[in-house]
Amino acid sequence: MQRYFFSLLLTFCTLVCLAQPKVVAHRGYWTTEGSAQNSIASLQKAAEIGCWGSEFDVWMTADGIPVVFHDATIDGIRIEDTTYATLMNHRLQNGEFIPTLQQYLTEAKRLTNCRLIFEIKQHRNEKRDCRISELSVELVNMLGLADRTDYISFSKHVCKRIHELAPKAKVAYLNGELSPKEIKELGWTGIDYNTKVFDKHPDWPLEAKRLGLEVNVWTVDGEEALTHFAQMPGIDIITTNEPEKLIRMKK
Ligand code: MG
């Protein structure tokens, strides 16, 4: 009887935990006054509202400077082909300059309550993928942020290189075509997949959990979708453009 009670309690606790995914602000909390995607303000605002983590995207300029920005191009200019000095002619929607990774991480260090979900974009070739991975790990380590940083990428070269450089760091793959078993075999620590991937493979979240992987889903917006994924067993983290709404719903 006692054994039955404890097993019931364990199931209940597991369900409660599963129903409380952590909140990650997608490209920071940018859907609010004075913010912009991947701006320093978006990171500050994500921390301010109590997000568990804040996601951001990193490119490397032609002269090897890592910058925080989402798109491959800005005003028709390809970031990978542009010097950092040229990028300084452009502003984000809230008037900020495009932050260098160093500027962004320096501010992140000050905001001690927010985890960093660090996306390294897929660059033109393997060499650049590896170089940006090396620069990223170097900077994260130099600023003492290794314990607060999780890496994500669509690039297998990036995930592989990060795993080699920082074997203790969490590394999750974004592209969606690898099964939890394949991710586990590669030694990476999680799947961070689009909602459509989990619609197609509804068994993957729990399969990933059984293998000890972390499960993150993006980009989940709107109350219906947020409720759906918040209740899906096996989902650890929800990445959303509406972090404030999700935090409110969890209360
Ligand atoms: Mg991203």
Side-chain angles (χ1 to χ4, degrees), residues 26-27 55-57 70 119 121 152 174:
H26 183 232
R27 306 178 195 168
E55 188 259 0
F56 58 99
D57 307 282
H70 179 266
E119 178 176 350
K121 302 307 281 187
I152 59 175
L174 291 166

Side-chain angles (χ1 to χ4, degrees), residues 63 74 77 81-90:
D63 50 345
I74 182 163
I77 296 166
D81 298 335
T82 307
T83 61
Y84 171 67
T86 310
L87 275 188
M88 287 302 92
N89 296 323
H90 301 267

Side-chain angles (χ1 to χ4, degrees), residues 23-234:
V23 181
V24 166
H26 183 232
R27 306 178 195 168
Y29 184 20
W30 60 273
T31 51
T32 185
E33 190 73 33
S35 194
Q37 293 187 5
N38 283 311
S39 61
I40 288 189
S42 74
L43 172 66
Q44 292 165 336
K45 287 171 190 289
E48 214 171 273
I49 61 165
C51 290
W52 173 79
S54 193
E55 188 259 0
F56 58 99
D57 307 282
V58 173
W59 283 104
M60 184 171 68
T61 61
D63 50 345
I65 308 292
V67 293
V68 180
F69 194 72
H70 179 266
D71 294 353
T73 59
I74 182 163
D75 298 337
I77 296 166
R78 206 174 157 81
I79 293 182
E80 283 197 74
D81 298 335
T82 307
T83 61
Y84 171 67
T86 310
L87 275 188
M88 287 302 92
N89 296 323
H90 301 267
R91 299 285 184 112
L92 301 178
Q93 274 189 348
N94 67 345
E96 276 184 41
F97 286 109
I98 296 173
T100 63
L101 179 61
Q102 180 146 10
Q103 289 164 345
Y104 193 90
L105 292 180
T106 301
E107 179 60 11
K109 193 173 165 63
R110 201 182 64 79
L111 305 165
T112 52
N113 63 333
C114 196
R115 207 162 174 83
L116 303 171
I117 313 302
F118 188 148
E119 178 176 350
I120 298 178
K121 302 307 281 187
Q122 180 152 30
H123 285 62
R124 188 184 299 116
N125 52 42
E126 182 176 350
K127 196 174 164 204
R128 284 183 65 84
D129 269 355
C130 289
R131 185 64 192 136
I132 181 64
S133 302
E134 289 151 10
L135 289 172
S136 300
V137 170
E138 201 175 293
L139 205 49
V140 163
N141 288 344
M142 191 184 88
L143 289 167
L145 288 166
D147 290 346
R148 281 176 54 207
T149 304
D150 301 336
Y151 296 93
I152 59 175
S153 187
F154 281 93
S155 160
K156 288 180 192 157
H157 299 309
V158 167
C159 291
K160 184 170 175 285
R161 191 71 188 121
I162 293 286
H163 183 55
E164 287 165 356
L165 293 164
K168 286 185 185 158
K170 285 188 188 168
V171 179
Y173 184 58
L174 291 166
N175 205 38
E177 85 284 14
L178 295 180
S179 70
K181 188 168 168 280
E182 288 168 308
I183 296 287
K184 183 74 184 177
E185 281 164 5
L186 287 161
W188 305 341
T189 62
I191 53 174
D192 188 345
Y193 287 168
N194 184 269
T195 55
K196 291 189 187 94
V197 176
F198 295 123
D199 291 342
K200 194 173 163 200
H201 301 283
D203 52 324
W204 278 10
L206 282 180
E207 191 182 325
K209 295 314 299 165
R210 275 194 294 274
L211 293 166
L213 300 173
E214 198 163 51
V215 182
N216 189 334
V217 58
W218 55 272
T219 307
V220 187
D221 296 328
E223 211 154 313
E224 200 181 320
L226 287 167
T227 306
H228 172 69
F229 282 101
Q231 290 174 347
M232 183 180 282

